């Protein structure tokens, strides 16, 4: 049975919350790579949380940077589905990590808010 996308996002969040010294690098990279390949299945809420997790892991983690870029790209299209509580989570991630599409995503959020 296939793992629900929300559970994949929860696994990414767990990786981000673990102290680096307790993180199994191979397992963490696997979880981030799976999340990146399944990003199109994520809800707007899960995209915001995945961006937060990836930004928390930092740009020195290549799989996290790839996840942030993929999640950011899909967040623009799903901006209209973001809950009010998702907006600061996503905005923080974009402001901290500054992926290439950050301005476009933030503009899409502002357009929805108008």
């Amino acid at each position: 049975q296939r793992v629900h996308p929300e559970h994949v996002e929860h696994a990414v969040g767990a990786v981000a919350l673990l102290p680096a010294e307790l993180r199994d690098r191979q397992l963490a990279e696997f979880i981030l790579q799976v999340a990146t390949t399944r990003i199109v299945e994520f809800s707007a809420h899960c995209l915001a949380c995945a961006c937060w997790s990836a930004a928390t892991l930092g740009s020195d983690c290549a799989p996290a940077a790839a996840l942030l870029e993929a999640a950011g790209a899909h967040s623009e299209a799903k901006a209209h589905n973001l809950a009010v509580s998702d907006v600061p989570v996503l905005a923080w991630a974009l402001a901290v990590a500054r992926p290439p599409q950050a301005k476009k995503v933030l503009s899409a959020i502002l357009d929805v808010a108008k």
Side-chain angles (χ1 to χ4, degrees):
Q1 185 175 359
R2 192 161 168 88
V3 176
H4 192 278
E6 187 174 84
H7 296 153
V8 174
E9 182 272 312
H10 289 168
V12 172
V15 168
L17 291 172
L18 269 176
E21 64 274 7
L22 298 178
R23 217 178 281 140
D24 180 288
R25 186 185 58 78
Q26 286 182 311
L27 179 58
E29 287 180 2
F30 174 76
I31 290 169
L32 294 168
Q33 289 167 354
V34 167
T36 302
T37 61
R38 295 193 54 199
I39 204 72
V40 297
E41 301 172 45
F42 282 29
S43 67
H45 172 74
C46 286
L47 287 168
C49 292
C51 286
W52 178 89
S53 297
T56 299
L57 288 165
S59 60
D60 57 327
C61 176
L67 174 60
L68 182 63
E69 191 166 335
H74 288 284
S75 295
E76 182 182 357
K78 292 190 177 183
H80 63 282
N81 291 330
L82 288 168
V84 172
S85 59
D86 296 327
V87 173
V89 173
L90 180 56
W92 178 87
L94 297 172
V96 167
R98 300 191 183 252
Q101 70 281 34
K103 285 185 179 181
K104 290 175 81 175
V105 176
L106 291 170
S107 291
I109 292 169
L110 288 173
D111 287 346
V112 170
K114 289 180 182 177

